[in-house]
């Protein structure tokens, strides 16, 4: 089915509409606590200290400076297009337009569609993964996937780290075919280099810091506190030197969220904040990581947190209070959205989706079981690459979040749902004979 056909255009329209349903039911695109920071960074063209500016710039451009509905519509359209293309590339002549629509309806009871509808860079995590997968599987549109990888990689600091990890997995998988795939590896190398260069340049213009994130030590400090490694180091060091944390050495073990952001509770703000003590705190982070007992505590905690993060997958929407700065920015820059944003269902209640999360977790367990059964019963390995990439994504994502950010169900939910379409494709492919998972495909996007 060519992209220009009216039937395929209808499929893309209906699929995008299905994916947009969470926003339509909510009455407005889904807002998270951090959404205001991304929106401000883009609309004010101000590079923030603790996150890349590029999702904010995406909101600026995709909204057309009229409405944030356009932004989430683009996110839903891109996600559905890539999902549909994945199905088409893998099933080839067995592809039917309704398959991606049925799968999208099924995904409504998972965090997938909520993730695509939020005003957060997490919406681009599955776009990055699917673009990376199709970069290898679909030789008809490599340039499109390259640019989507580059765009998605800029949205969040975890994205370029995920990308590097997936390239390493690909190197291991394609070791025997490296020479025939060297052009693709070079392009992926260019993508990573370009992402880092752009991140370095944007941070240097504002902070004179030539790094992908000037806040990397700040976030690592929070994880060291949560793990108990910081407390262990400070307890020992205060016997020899006078650190500002010495007065609070018994109250350092806080969750990352509280340690980094709670100005009334965290010892970090009782000593004046990170920026006021940057030199000392950066040194404390490095010394904690080089202290053997503290490093061991951190590693043990990171392994435990990563394991828990793999299983920490659920939909959860908190009530956005009326004093959240997002409303101020919407009123200032998107007056047409003002009424809907302040009267969405999310402004009135918390949504914990207990039944939905139970069904979602059951679907994930069933999907994993079916994949295992198919792999045991079938000797064909044509699906091995996509299985490796999706499973590696889920594990790598959990390691990154568990090690560097702390437990967060939203950050695991952004990728865990990919298991379900993976099972769908593995089952449909199990009785078919196809060429290896790289190389040309038929049909157009």
């Amino acid at each position: 089915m060519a992209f220009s056909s009216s039937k395929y255009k209808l499929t893309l329209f209906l699929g995008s509409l299905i994916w947009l349903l969470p926003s339509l039911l909510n009455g407005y695109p889904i807002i998270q606590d951090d959404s205001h920071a991304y929106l401000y960074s883009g609309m004010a063209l101000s590079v923030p200290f603790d996150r890349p500016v590029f999702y904010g710039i995406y909101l600026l451009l995709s909204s057309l400076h009229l409405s944030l509905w356009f932004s989430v519509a683009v996110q839903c359209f891109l996600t559905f297009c890539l999902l549909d293309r994945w199905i088409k590339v893998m099933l080839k002549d067995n592809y039917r337009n309704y398959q991606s629509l049925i799968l999208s309806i099924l995904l409504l009871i998972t965090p997938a569609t909520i993730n695509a509808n939020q005003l957060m860079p997490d919406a681009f995590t599955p776009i990055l993964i699917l673009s990376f997968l199709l970069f290898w599987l679909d030789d008809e549109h490599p340039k499109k996937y390259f640019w989507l990888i580059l765009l998605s990689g800029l949205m969040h600091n975890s994205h370029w780290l995920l990308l590097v990890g997936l390239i390493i997995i690909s190197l291991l998988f394609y070791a025997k075919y490296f020479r025939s795939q060297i052009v693709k590896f070079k392009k992926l190398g260019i993508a990573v280099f370009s992402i880092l260069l752009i991140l370095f340049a944007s941070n240097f213009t504002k902070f004179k810091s030539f790094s992908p994130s000037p806040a990397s030590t700040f976030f690592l400090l929070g994880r060291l506190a949560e793990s108990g490694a910081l407390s262990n180091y400070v307890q020992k060091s205060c016997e020899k030197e006078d650190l500002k944390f010495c007065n609070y050495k018994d109250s350092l073990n806080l969750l990352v969220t509280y340690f980094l952001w709670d100005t009334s509770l965290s010892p970090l703000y009782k000593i004046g904040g990170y920026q006021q003590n940057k030199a000392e705190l950066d040194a404390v982070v490095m010394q904690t990581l080089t202290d053997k007992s503290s490093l061991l505590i951190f590693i043990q905690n990171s392994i435990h947190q990563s394991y828990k993060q793999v299983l920490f997958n659920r939909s959860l929407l908190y009530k956005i209070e009326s004093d959240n700065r997002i409303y101020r920015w919407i009123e200032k820059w998107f007056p047409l959205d003002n009424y809907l944003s302040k009267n969405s269902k999310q402004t009135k209640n918390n949504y914990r989706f207990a039944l939905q999360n139970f069904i979602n977790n059951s679907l994930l367990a069933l999907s994993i079981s079916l994949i295992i059964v198919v792999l045991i019963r079938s000797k064909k390995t044509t699906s091995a690459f996509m299985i490796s990439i999706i499973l590696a994504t889920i594990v790598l994502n959990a390691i990154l979040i568990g090690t560097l950010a702390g437990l967060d169900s939203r950050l695991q939910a952004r990728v865990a749902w990919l298991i379900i379409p993976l099972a769908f494709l593995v089952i449909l492919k199990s009785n078919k004979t196809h060429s290896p998972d790289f190389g040309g495909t038929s049909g157009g996007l």
Side-chain angles (χ1 to χ4, degrees):
M1 182 69 65
F3 180 73
S4 58
S5 75
S6 57
K7 186 181 292 187
Y8 197 66
K9 286 181 179 179
L10 179 61
T11 300
L12 295 182
F13 172 76
L14 292 175
S16 301
L17 193 61
I18 291 170
W19 277 78
L20 195 58
L21 273 175
S23 288
L24 295 173
L25 294 174
N26 183 49
Y28 195 70
I30 292 168
I31 294 170
Q32 300 288 0
D33 285 340
D34 284 355
S35 295
H36 70 87
Y38 290 104
L39 183 58
Y40 179 83
S41 70
M43 302 307 295
L45 290 177
S46 174
V47 179
F49 164 72
D50 56 349
R51 65 199 76 216
V53 70
F54 298 101
Y55 183 70
I57 293 175
Y58 162 78
L59 293 177
L60 169 67
L61 298 175
S62 60
S63 67
L64 304 178
H65 221 303
L66 293 174
S67 173
L68 292 169
W69 280 98
F70 294 125
S71 300
V72 294
V74 171
Q75 291 170 186
C76 291
F77 176 76
L78 286 174
T79 307
F80 177 76
C81 281
L82 290 167
L83 180 66
D84 181 79
R85 185 62 186 173
W86 184 20
I87 295 172
K88 180 172 178 59
V89 166
M90 298 310 296
L91 299 186
K92 297 180 172 64
D93 294 337
N94 297 300
Y95 166 83
R96 301 292 183 270
N97 294 78
Y98 62 80
Q99 291 164 335
S100 56
L101 295 177
I102 292 173
L103 183 57
S104 294
I105 292 172
L106 179 63
L107 289 172
L108 283 172
I109 57 176
T110 75
T113 52
I114 290 177
N115 182 74
N117 280 268
Q118 60 185 346
L119 297 172
M120 293 288 288
D122 304 319
F124 278 87
T125 313
I127 291 173
L128 171 68
I129 305 309
L130 291 174
S131 298
F132 182 87
L133 196 59
L134 287 166
F135 178 80
W136 287 105
L137 303 181
D138 182 9
D139 278 348
E140 291 197 13
H141 308 285
K143 289 184 179 179
K144 291 180 182 178
Y145 302 132
F146 173 86
W147 288 111
L148 281 173
I149 289 170
L150 183 58
L151 172 67
S152 303
L154 289 168
M155 296 296 173
H156 195 270
N157 283 318
S158 66
H159 287 184
W160 70 265
L161 290 168
L162 267 176
L163 180 57
V164 170
L166 292 179
I167 291 172
I168 293 171
I169 298 296
S170 301
L171 278 167
L172 296 174
F173 191 89
Y174 283 125
K176 293 181 180 179
Y177 312 101
F178 181 76
R179 289 188 178 182
S180 64
Q181 301 298 320
I182 193 168
V183 173
K184 287 191 174 182
F185 280 115
K186 285 181 178 179
K187 288 180 179 178
L188 289 172
I190 291 171
V192 172
F193 177 79
S194 300
I195 290 167
L196 290 175
L197 185 63
I198 294 169
L199 290 174
F200 275 57
S202 65
N203 290 321
F204 186 79
T205 58
K206 177 74 176 286
F207 302 105
K208 307 304 178 186
S209 171
F210 202 63
S211 67
S213 172
S216 55
T217 309
F218 171 70
F219 286 112
L220 189 52
L221 180 66
R223 272 293 294 128
L224 290 171
E226 182 181 63
S227 68
L230 179 63
S231 176
N232 181 73
Y233 172 75
V234 170
Q235 292 276 2
K236 293 193 302 182
S237 298
C238 287
E239 298 174 0
K240 305 173 184 177
E241 55 184 312
D242 184 25
L243 300 174
K244 290 188 177 180
F245 274 146
C246 288
N247 293 331
Y248 307 97
K249 59 185 179 182
D250 296 322
S251 57
L252 291 173
N253 289 11
L254 293 174
L255 292 175
V256 171
T257 303
Y258 295 116
F259 186 87
L260 295 182
W261 308 114
D262 193 322
T263 55
S264 61
L265 179 64
S266 174
L268 179 61
Y269 294 95
K270 292 176 181 178
I271 66 170
Y274 176 76
Q275 296 286 11
Q276 295 296 322
N277 301 280
K278 188 176 186 305
E280 179 178 317
L281 294 179
D282 286 356
V284 166
V285 167
M286 292 304 299
Q287 290 161 6
T288 302
L289 290 174
T290 53
D291 177 72
K292 289 184 179 180
S293 62
S294 300
L295 179 60
L296 182 60
I297 291 171
F298 180 62
I299 291 173
Q300 290 174 335
N301 179 265
S302 296
I303 292 172
H304 179 66
Q305 293 288 81
S306 299
Y307 168 74
K308 290 174 66 175
Q309 183 68 28
V310 169
L311 306 174
F312 199 34
N313 167 58
R314 64 183 181 181
S315 296
L316 178 64
L317 295 181
Y318 291 108
K319 178 181 178 181
I320 302 300
E321 301 295 341
S322 58
D323 61 349
N324 190 292
R325 281 175 284 181
I326 188 76
Y327 299 117
R328 191 193 316 169
W329 307 143
I330 290 174
E331 184 176 4
K332 179 178 181 179
W333 285 304
F334 300 99
L336 294 177
D337 286 2
N338 194 35
Y339 176 80
L340 290 178
S341 68
K342 291 180 179 178
N343 290 277
S344 70
K345 291 181 180 178
Q346 197 184 358
T347 62
K348 300 174 176 62
N349 297 291
N350 291 315
Y351 291 93
R352 300 193 179 276
F353 302 108
L355 178 60
Q356 179 181 342
N357 287 323
F358 173 78
I359 296 173
N360 171 60
N361 290 331
S362 300
L363 274 175
L364 288 173
L366 178 62
S367 297
I368 293 171
S369 300
L370 289 172
I371 290 170
I372 293 171
V373 169
V374 170
L375 289 178
I376 291 174
R377 295 181 61 182
S378 174
K379 294 182 180 180
K380 298 173 184 177
T381 59
T382 56
S383 301
F385 179 69
M386 68 175 184
I387 293 172
S388 300
I389 292 300
I390 299 302
L391 295 183
T393 294
I394 292 169
V395 173
L396 287 171
N397 184 75
I399 292 172
L400 286 173
I401 304 307
T403 302
L404 301 176
L407 289 178
D408 191 324
S409 62
R410 173 174 59 83
L411 295 179
Q412 193 65 17
R414 64 184 183 172
V415 296
W417 66 269
L418 291 167
I419 285 285
I420 296 170
L422 174 64
F424 175 83
L425 288 172
V426 167
I427 292 167
L428 290 180
K429 277 178 59 65
S430 61
N431 296 319
K432 307 295 178 184
T433 301
H434 292 300
S435 58
D437 280 336
F438 54 87
T441 60
S442 59
L445 182 66

